[in-house]
């Protein structure tokens, strides 16, 4: 649950969402990620750290470079959680359908 | 047509829509009469609502307590702001987990569509961070989505 909190909290920032959107197209270096934003490299690195700590991205070592990519497991954990919540909400409304059917039938009896 | 939709709007809103095969009067009643609420507002399988207080008038109190019978329990409190039978309800609510979550301002509309109802829930959270946390911690009635939908949020 805490892990999910960190994931959703990480998503609350527009820059970090943009970084994830960029990474959904493939791996990128810190410089490539910093390019579209008017941010210093330390600022970008801070955002990357938040995403990494939340388990949403991972880094690879390639010489002096540390390219980042999406962490499939982290994204899937979020996805599963959201799907479960959605199911719970849909279950509520499916039950409400039944309740409404009961109300309609009662009305019918009165007629 | 009865399929639920859920989407984010702006930085602080969450919008849920759902069609029901009943007129607005019935859907409104199912949202304001405790005996009816206890039958459906339960979340995942296995949970029940032993306490359901719903004073459907401006300023009226809302208190829902859920339990899974295995030691798991939590509750929600709220207050009604405005009620327009059978078309619109405005209320404020918060979950207690057990610490209270930030207030969620909810406007629920019941729009007539022939013999059916289009229900639209518009939730307003204090800020984007709160909305994100709400998605993570359960969104009292549950939330969203496939990976495609997650991408929409991003």
């Amino acid at each position: 649950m805490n892990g999910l909190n960190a994931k959703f909290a990480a998503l609350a920032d527009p820059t970090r969402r943009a970084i994830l959107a960029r990474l959904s197209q493939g791996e990128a270096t810190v410089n490539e990620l910093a390019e579209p934003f008017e941010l210093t490299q330390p600022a970008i690195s801070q955002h990357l750290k938040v995403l990494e700590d939340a388990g949403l991205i991972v880094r690879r070592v390639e010489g002096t470079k540390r390219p980042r990519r999406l962490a499939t497991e982290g994204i899937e954990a979020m996805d599963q959680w959201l799907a479960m919540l959605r199911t719970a909400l849909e279950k509520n409304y499916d039950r409400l359908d039944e309740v409404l059917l009961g109300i309609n039938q009662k009305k019918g009896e009165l007629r | 047509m009865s399929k639920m939709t859920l989407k984010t709007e702006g930085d602080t809103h969450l919008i849920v829509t759902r069609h029901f095969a009943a007129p607005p009067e019935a859907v409104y009643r199912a949202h304001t009469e405790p005996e009816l609420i206890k039958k459906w507002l339960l979340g995942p399988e296995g949970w029940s609502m032993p306490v359901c207080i719903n004073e459907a008038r401006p300023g009226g109190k809302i208190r829902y307590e859920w339990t899974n019978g295995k030691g798991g329990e939590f509750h929600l409190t709220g207050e009604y702001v405005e009620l327009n039978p059978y078309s619109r309800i405005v209320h404020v609510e918060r979950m207690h987990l057990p610490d209270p979550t930030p207030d969620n301002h909810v406007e629920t509309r019941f729009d007539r569509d022939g013999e059916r109802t289009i229900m639209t829930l518009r939730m307003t959270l204090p800020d984007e961070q709160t909305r994100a946390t709400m998605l993570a911690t359960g969104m009292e009635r549950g939330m969203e989505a496939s990976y495609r939908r997650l991408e929409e949020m991003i």
Side-chain angles (χ1 to χ4, degrees):
Chain A
M1 183 69 97
N2 282 339
L4 281 163
N5 257 328
K7 287 178 176 57
F8 282 98
L11 269 185
D13 180 272
T15 303
R16 291 198 287 271
R17 288 200 298 276
I19 291 171
L20 289 178
R22 166 64 187 85
L23 290 176
S24 71
Q25 294 161 22
E27 197 177 69
T29 64
V30 178
N31 280 340
E32 285 165 346
L33 289 171
E35 211 174 346
F37 306 103
E38 293 186 4
L39 286 175
T40 61
Q41 193 152 330
I44 282 289
S45 293
Q46 182 55 37
H47 282 307
L48 292 176
K49 183 179 181 332
V50 173
L51 290 169
E52 205 172 305
D53 289 349
L56 291 172
I57 65 172
V58 287
R59 72 169 79 184
R60 190 165 63 81
V61 179
E62 187 189 293
T64 57
K65 290 179 182 165
R66 301 285 183 275
R68 307 307 209 271
R69 63 181 161 79
L70 288 184
T72 316
E73 268 181 32
I75 302 278
E76 273 173 6
M78 248 178 130
D79 190 31
Q80 276 171 17
W81 170 252
L82 289 170
M84 196 185 81
L85 292 175
R86 185 184 173 83
T87 302
L89 184 51
E90 279 174 340
K91 239 181 197 47
N92 274 352
Y93 291 137
D94 288 347
R95 275 190 294 256
L96 178 50
D97 282 335
E98 295 296 314
V99 170
L100 293 170
L101 207 60
I103 294 178
N104 276 343
Q105 279 167 356
K106 268 182 213 159
K107 257 191 192 170
E109 283 163 20
L110 290 174
R111 271 175 206 149
Chain B
M1 273 295 268
S2 67
K3 199 171 170 344
M4 186 187 82
T5 70
L6 182 142
K7 60 179 185 183
T8 56
E9 184 188 290
D11 289 339
T12 58
H13 305 291
L14 278 166
I15 317 287
V16 178
T17 63
R18 174 70 151 78
H19 278 75
F20 293 101
E25 289 81 358
V27 187
Y28 182 96
R29 281 184 54 200
H31 277 78
T32 50
E33 295 179 17
E35 285 315 307
L36 296 175
I37 293 168
K38 288 166 86 164
K39 290 181 182 169
W40 68 271
L41 191 54
L42 302 172
E45 214 69 66
W47 287 76
S48 64
M49 191 194 285
V51 177
C52 178
I53 298 167
N54 190 295
E55 304 168 354
R57 54 178 164 76
K61 300 238 173 307
I62 299 167
R63 185 181 176 94
Y64 302 147
E65 293 183 18
W66 290 276
T67 176
N68 65 358
K70 298 176 210 155
E73 52 187 43
F74 59 97
H75 67 281
L76 174 150
T77 60
E79 299 82 37
Y80 278 109
V81 178
E82 214 182 320
L83 295 105
N84 310 101
Y86 300 95
S87 60
R88 183 170 169 266
I89 298 171
V90 181
H91 78 278
V92 182
E93 65 178 38
R94 64 205 68 83
M95 292 294 287
H96 300 263
L97 300 166
D99 293 330
T101 57
D103 281 3
N104 180 11
H105 292 250
V106 186
E107 182 192 31
T108 311
R109 298 192 58 91
F110 308 94
D111 291 310
R112 187 178 299 277
D113 177 23
E115 281 299 294
R116 295 154 53 88
T117 301
I118 305 167
M119 187 187 74
T120 309
L121 238 80
R122 183 183 166 86
M123 305 181 201
T124 307
L125 287 313
D127 49 54
E128 198 174 7
Q129 176 82 39
T130 303
R131 186 178 68 185
T133 308
M134 191 173 179
L135 284 167
T137 49
M139 254 278 358
E140 63 270 35
R141 302 184 196 96
M143 279 289 106
E144 226 339 31
S146 65
Y147 184 45
R148 192 170 62 249
R149 285 201 169 81
L150 178 62
E151 280 179 334
E152 281 168 16
M153 276 167 54
I154 291 170

